[in-house]
């Protein structure tokens, strides 16, 4: 049967998923696949969590939708209270939308309006990083440094975004950690100077870089150095934790490990665990106060923002993470996952780097380990590993363009927070079998 859906791949229809339980997904043929990446680091509780499903059903019985121009709703208020009621890092207000891309758009708009409210209308520019990804809507894509995803739409992206280097120690570090961090801080400062410091509204960065670079963590001191540059020039620090936040790295917020707090934090995937579409921003009190004391409005909105069922699902997900002590499990199983990757790939001639934090780990593949030369993109290494793993009953998250948007391959593993050691071992065995099978067919450098 020909599908009438505009699928991602127009040359082959995907398998039809019909059910899921725990780490397992089942398709229409009855075949089971382990969800080793939670989709795109989304399914943080796996599939079929009874508490989340019960909360969604109960909310449907009470209220499915109410327009936020007239009403708030109980689950949205409770979710916000849970996330920012204790003002973590000075974040005091939450705003809920339906995706990470929408959340990034909201963050950009909030930053812009903040500066309008405090009388600095010249601040319209944003600095982000190369090899980054902030979403697929035009504003979020403009902020992104993902070459492949930007390319078709470059002509219609806004010209208010510029990009500096990421903190990518494996390939770009020269000298000591301190020297490299100082170099990156100087580059960011120079970009402020080039643009005119009074024109820059914010610096956007993924706290742990997601799909574009493959779980790259920053060196110690990097984010405090970036924060210092922003503060010196009066700009906001916007941290994108769509992939890395809400427990994925072993703390509820990934910035907790970095010694900084953002002015605006962007969240999504682990917020609702895929049970409903939801994303959001968490904003610092001083940012919201500028709007509250000025126009009294956030001049932005979506039809489905703070959707009652989405918020009820996200609230239940966050309650499960708390009540089941899953952050502790993420930390423990994160060590197990990292150790397992090292055991299976640490000495492989085509694995250049193993990296990540918590249950957000990746391997970077190389044609030559000594020179770190990437594979020829024509070999389609990441696509072949994705298919080989799927054939063996594992869904993982391989990507290309790791090095510069065109060359380079990596594979991300992001299993559910409630995964067991046995489940992670089974995922790793399937990943190793698939990856090594593909690598053995490739020509030697």
């Amino acid at each position: 049967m020909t599908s009438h859906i505009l699928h991602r791949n127009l040359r082959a229809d995907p398998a039809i998923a019909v059910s899921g339980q725990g780490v397992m997904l089942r398709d229409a043929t009855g075949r089971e696949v382990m969800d080793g990446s939670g989709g795109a680091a989304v399914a943080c509780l796996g599939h079929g969590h009874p508490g989340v499903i019960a909360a969604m059903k109960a909310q449907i019985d009470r209220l499915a939708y109410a327009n936020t121009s007239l009403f708030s709703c109980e689950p949205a208020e409770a979710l916000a209270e849970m996330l920012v009621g204790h003002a973590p890092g000075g974040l005091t207000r939450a705003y809920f939308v339906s995706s990470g891309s929408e959340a990034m758009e909201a963050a950009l708009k909030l930053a812009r309006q903040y500066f309008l409210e405090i009388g600095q209308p010249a601040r319209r520019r944003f600095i982000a990083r190369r090899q980054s990804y902030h979403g697929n809507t035009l504003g979020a894509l403009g902020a992104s440094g993902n070459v492949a995803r930007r390319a078709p739409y470059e002509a219609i992206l806004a010209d208010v975004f510029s990009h500096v280097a990421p903190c990518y120690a494996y390939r770009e570090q020269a000298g000591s950690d301190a020297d490299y961090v100082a170099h990156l801080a100087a580059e960011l400062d120079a970009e402020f100077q080039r643009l005119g410091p009074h024109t820059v509204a914010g610096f956007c960065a993924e706290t742990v870089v997601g799909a574009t670079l493959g779980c790259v963590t920053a060196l110690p001191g990097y984010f405090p150095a970036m924060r210092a540059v922003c503060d010196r020039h009066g700009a906001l620090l916007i941290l994108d934790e769509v992939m890395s936040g809400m427990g994925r790295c072993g703390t509820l917020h990934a910035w907790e490990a970095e010694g900084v707090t953002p002015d605006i934090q962007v969240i999504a995937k682990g917020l609702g665990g895929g049970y409903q579409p939801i994303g959001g921003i968490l904003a610092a009190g001083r940012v919201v106060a500028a709007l509250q004391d000025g126009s009294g409005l956030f001049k932005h909105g979506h039809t489905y923002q703070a959707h009652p069922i989405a918020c009820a699902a996200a609230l239940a997900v966050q309650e499960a993470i708390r009540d089941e002590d899953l952050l502790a499990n993420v930390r423990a199983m994160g060590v197990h996952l990292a150790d397992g990757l090292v055991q299976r790939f640490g000495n492989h001639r085509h694995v250049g780097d193993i990296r990540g934090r918590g249950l957000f780990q990746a391997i970077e593949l190389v044609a030559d380990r000594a020179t770190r030369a990437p594979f020829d993109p024509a070999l389609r290494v990441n696509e072949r590993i994705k298919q080989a793993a799927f054939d063996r009953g594992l869904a993982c998250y391989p990507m290309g363009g790791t090095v510069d948007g065109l060359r380079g391959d990596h594979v991300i593993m992001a299993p559910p927070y409630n995964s067991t050691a046995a489940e992670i071992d089974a995922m790793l065995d399937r990943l190793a079998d698939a990856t090594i099978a593909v690598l053995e067919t490739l020509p030697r450098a």
Side-chain angles (χ1 to χ4, degrees), residues 201-435:
F203 171 60
C204 308
E206 296 163 275
T207 313
V208 178
V209 187
T212 303
L213 269 185
C215 304
V216 170
T217 58
L219 289 176
Y222 170 80
F223 276 108
M226 301 302 108
R227 168 96 254 184
V229 174
C230 291
D231 290 347
R232 184 159 62 248
H233 296 299
L236 300 180
L237 176 63
I238 302 170
L239 291 184
D240 180 345
E241 298 200 353
V242 167
M243 289 192 86
S244 63
M246 304 313 300
R248 173 60 60 189
C249 292
T251 53
L252 189 61
H253 310 294
W255 52 257
E256 293 178 63
E258 303 296 347
V260 300
T261 58
D263 297 300
I264 303 173
Q265 178 182 349
V266 185
I267 58 176
K269 299 175 186 291
L271 175 61
Y275 286 89
Q276 284 282 278
I278 188 167
I281 58 173
L282 309 179
R286 71 181 182 94
V287 174
V288 176
L291 278 63
Q292 195 167 29
D293 297 341
S295 66
L297 302 169
F298 180 24
K299 298 174 182 179
H300 179 54
H302 288 282
T303 299
Y304 299 114
Q305 71 185 62
H307 191 277
I309 300 171
C311 289
L315 178 62
V317 168
Q318 296 309 307
E319 288 173 340
I321 292 171
R322 179 197 64 197
D323 296 344
E324 297 173 27
D325 197 21
L326 293 184
L327 294 182
N329 195 61
V330 170
R331 292 189 290 271
M333 291 300 99
V335 172
H336 189 78
L337 175 60
D339 288 347
L341 288 170
V342 171
Q343 290 167 11
R344 291 162 177 82
F345 297 106
N347 294 319
H348 198 283
R349 69 180 186 276
H350 290 312
V351 177
D353 194 27
I354 299 171
R355 57 187 179 237
R357 184 182 297 160
L359 288 176
F360 196 41
Q361 303 277 341
I363 57 174
E364 181 170 339
L365 303 161
V366 292
D368 185 277
R369 187 168 178 168
T371 65
R372 305 183 183 180
F375 285 108
D376 182 345
L379 293 171
R380 300 170 47 255
V381 172
N382 66 88
E383 296 175 37
R384 292 166 68 178
I385 290 174
K386 180 179 180 179
Q387 187 59 53
F390 193 69
D391 291 344
R392 289 162 173 78
L394 174 70
C396 55
Y397 196 6
M399 287 286 288
T402 316
V403 177
D404 55 12
L406 300 173
R407 302 172 302 141
D409 304 272
H410 63 263
V411 181
I412 292 174
M413 293 293 288
Y417 301 174
N418 47 8
S419 298
T420 66
E423 288 169 337
I424 288 174
D425 286 341
M427 295 175 192
L428 287 169
D429 287 344
R430 296 181 193 195
L431 177 65
D433 187 28
T435 302

Side-chain angles (χ1 to χ4, degrees), residues 115 120 123 181-193 196-198 200 203 223-237 263 286:
F115 285 110
Q120 298 184 30
R123 290 191 184 266
V181 168
H183 168 77
L184 294 172
E187 181 183 359
L188 179 60
D189 189 82
E191 186 64 6
F192 270 92
Q193 299 296 343
H198 66 288
V200 179
F203 171 60
F223 276 108
M226 301 302 108
R227 168 96 254 184
V229 174
C230 291
D231 290 347
R232 184 159 62 248
H233 296 299
L236 300 180
L237 176 63
D263 297 300
R286 71 181 182 94

Side-chain angles (χ1 to χ4, degrees), residues 96-122:
F96 301 118
V97 291
S98 297
S99 72
S101 295
E102 285 185 19
M104 192 67 200
E105 296 280 340
L108 297 171
K109 286 186 173 182
L110 179 59
R112 170 61 179 165
Q113 189 181 340
Y114 166 74
F115 285 110
L116 291 175
E117 299 279 6
I118 65 172
Q120 298 184 30

Side-chain angles (χ1 to χ4, degrees), residues 144-156:
S144 300
N146 186 302
V147 173
R149 292 181 180 179
R150 288 175 59 95
Y153 311 107
E154 199 76 51
I156 59 173

